[in-house]
Amino acid sequence: MMAAKGLHWKRLAAALITGLVVLIFAAGAGAQSGVTQAEVDALLAIKRGFQSPSILASWNESGAGVCTSWLGVDCLNGQVTGLSLPGKALRGVLAEDIGNLTSLRKLSLHHNFIAGSLPQSLGTLPALKGIALFLNQFSGSIPANLGNSSALAQLDVSYNLLTGPVPAGLTQSRRLTLVDFSVNRLWGVFPGDWAQSSSLVVIGLAANSLSGPLPDQWGAINASSLQRLDAKDNFFSGSIPRSLGARAALTELRLSNNQLDGAIPEELGQLAQLTVLDLAGNQLTGEVPAALGNLSVLAEADFSGNALSGAIPASLGATNFRCC
Ligand SMILES: *[C@@H]1O[C@H](CO)[C@@H](O)[C@H](O)[C@H]1NC(C)=O
Ligand SMILES: *[C@@H]1O[C@H](CO)[C@@H](O)[C@H](O)[C@H]1NC(C)=O
Ligand SMILES: *[C@@H]1O[C@H](CO)[C@@H](O)[C@H](O)[C@H]1NC(C)=O
Ligand SMILES: *[C@@H]1O[C@H](CO)[C@@H](O)[C@H](O)[C@H]1NC(C)=O
Ligand SMILES: *[C@@H]1O[C@H](CO)[C@@H](O)[C@H](O)[C@H]1NC(C)=O
């Protein structure tokens, strides 16, 4: 009786272990089988473009272990959803074949030395949410079709060598919250559609060669999304748009070192959250509006290098304050 019972338990244990092994194997195979040959081929083409074989040694030419052992490759349900290789001293170019990673959500290759153009195919990736390619050596223009990535939320290509205009229509991506094109060599105008975006939180255009007026439709929509607007170190001209006063969530407004003229609009006194107001190095005239004294959290204000007259409002108690 006892012997039979012992045998029964041994069989049960053996069956359980076998079942577990089968399960683990199936799970492993499942994760692997989801990755298509097109995705493997695309990744291997990207590897060849980078000319950095030692860093990507785990990207086995056999295509084995994409989701389990390839450096910087993230998968979800057996699909390649992320490529994340920041600060890996990558050189070479980013291959157009990246457009074949059709489930890609996040592309993070910042702090490298990647040169050549930004792939046109990025604009065709339907799930792409985040592009972090800042601090590289990309040149050429920003693909005009990026606004076609309807999921796109964050686009940071700052600190590169990009030229040409800021593409129109980026705000077709209704989820776009951050655009940072700072420190490139872009020319042309400030895209008017950005002023009417209800999703943008951060706009970075600093240190380019952009010119023309700043758009003046910031109040056309009921949007309090915008928190940071940095357009300093360009060639923008005309006056500071009054409608910026409608963007109540603004915390940082940097317009220094442009060619802006006219008076500082008193509407800026409505920006109750403003902590930084940098208007230095323009051709602004008139007085600093008394309404700016209303800005109780303003910590940094710079009006230096303008042609302002009159006294500074006594109520303007910015801790780091420079004037006229
Ligand atoms: C990526 O897709 C394009 C278009 O279908 C194709 O021509 C190209 O060969 C693919 N790339 C790779 C590496 O398979
Ligand atoms: C690549 O995969 C093959 C086959 O799975 C394996 O024999 C080889 O050791 C792998 N090479 C590297 C560098 O992981
Ligand atoms: C965006 O997609 C639409 C529809 O697929 C297409 O007609 C249009 O040409 C695309 N825009 C760009 C700039 O590629
Ligand atoms: C903004 O919101 C207010 C109050 O909700 C509304 O009365 C006004 O019409 C809206 N304006 C626009 C341009 O949508
Ligand atoms: C803003 O400042 C102006 C001028 O000092 C003043 O008349 C106005 O009442 C202030 N508004 C608020 C909301 O504090």
Side-chain angles (χ1 to χ4, degrees):
M1 191 63 183
M2 287 299 284
K5 202 172 188 182
L7 191 64
H8 177 72
W9 279 110
K10 271 183 196 160
R11 276 188 187 150
L12 191 61
L16 270 175
I17 288 166
T18 309
L20 206 61
V21 167
V22 167
L23 256 178
I24 289 168
F25 181 78
Q32 198 55 57
S33 65
V35 177
T36 62
Q37 191 59 42
E39 288 175 309
V40 173
D41 290 348
L43 287 167
L44 290 174
I46 290 167
K47 176 183 179 177
R48 284 191 293 277
F50 285 154
Q51 306 164 356
S52 312
S54 57
I55 286 290
L56 298 181
S58 60
W59 292 27
N60 195 327
E61 296 291 329
S62 74
V66 172
C67 294
T68 49
S69 54
W70 286 28
L71 180 72
V73 177
D74 297 318
C75 296
L76 200 65
N77 302 323
Q79 293 173 315
V80 176
T81 52
L83 189 54
S84 187
L85 295 164
K88 294 286 187 287
L90 295 171
R91 293 175 186 278
V93 300
L94 181 55
E96 277 291 340
D97 307 271
I98 194 158
N100 299 18
L101 297 176
T102 48
S103 302
L104 197 66
R105 299 178 185 188
K106 185 180 165 199
L107 175 63
S108 176
L109 301 173
H110 57 87
H111 286 83
N112 282 294
F113 305 97
I114 308 167
S117 336
L118 296 172
Q120 293 287 328
S121 59
L122 287 178
T124 67
L125 291 172
L128 193 57
K129 281 191 208 166
I131 298 180
L133 296 176
F134 51 95
L135 283 157
N136 277 289
Q137 294 170 6
F138 286 107
S139 58
S141 56
I142 298 169
N145 64 357
L146 275 180
N148 266 12
S149 319
S150 58
L152 195 62
Q154 306 204 321
L155 172 57
D156 190 343
V157 293
S158 59
Y159 293 88
N160 278 286
L161 305 167
L162 297 164
T163 53
V166 174
L170 272 184
T171 55
Q172 284 173 58
S173 306
R174 294 276 164 208
R175 298 194 178 92
L176 200 61
T177 57
L178 179 147
V179 189
D180 199 345
F181 292 165
S182 300
V183 198
N184 278 287
R185 298 168 180 180
L186 303 173
W187 62 75
V189 299
F190 193 119
D193 56 318
W194 292 15
Q196 295 169 60
S197 161
S198 54
S199 63
L200 278 173
V201 175
V202 177
I203 294 177
L205 288 172
N208 280 287
S209 297
L210 300 164
S211 58
L214 298 170
D216 193 12
Q217 290 84 34
W218 299 94
I221 41 139
N222 269 339
S224 58
S225 57
L226 189 65
Q227 293 174 13
R228 281 171 34 205
L229 171 56
D230 187 353
K232 68 172 186 265
D233 301 330
N234 280 286
F235 301 97
F236 291 118
S237 56
S239 53
I240 298 172
R242 291 182 178 278
S243 57
L244 273 174
R247 292 310 194 103
L250 263 178
T251 61
E252 280 185 45
L253 179 58
R254 298 182 192 269
L255 301 174
S256 55
N257 300 316
N258 280 289
Q259 295 167 2
L260 300 169
D261 56 21
I264 299 172
E266 63 182 328
E267 284 83 352
L268 297 188
Q270 297 162 13
L271 298 172
Q273 313 289 322
L274 206 62
T275 59
V276 176
L277 177 60
D278 184 4
L279 304 178
N282 282 291
Q283 291 142 29
L284 300 169
T285 51
E287 298 181 3
V288 175
L292 293 192
N294 294 355
L295 302 177
S296 57
V297 293
L298 194 63
E300 189 186 328
D302 195 343
F303 304 106
S304 62
N306 281 291
L308 296 164
S309 57
I312 298 306
S315 49
L316 213 152
T319 53
N320 183 7
F321 178 74
R322 296 183 62 206
C323 184
C324 317

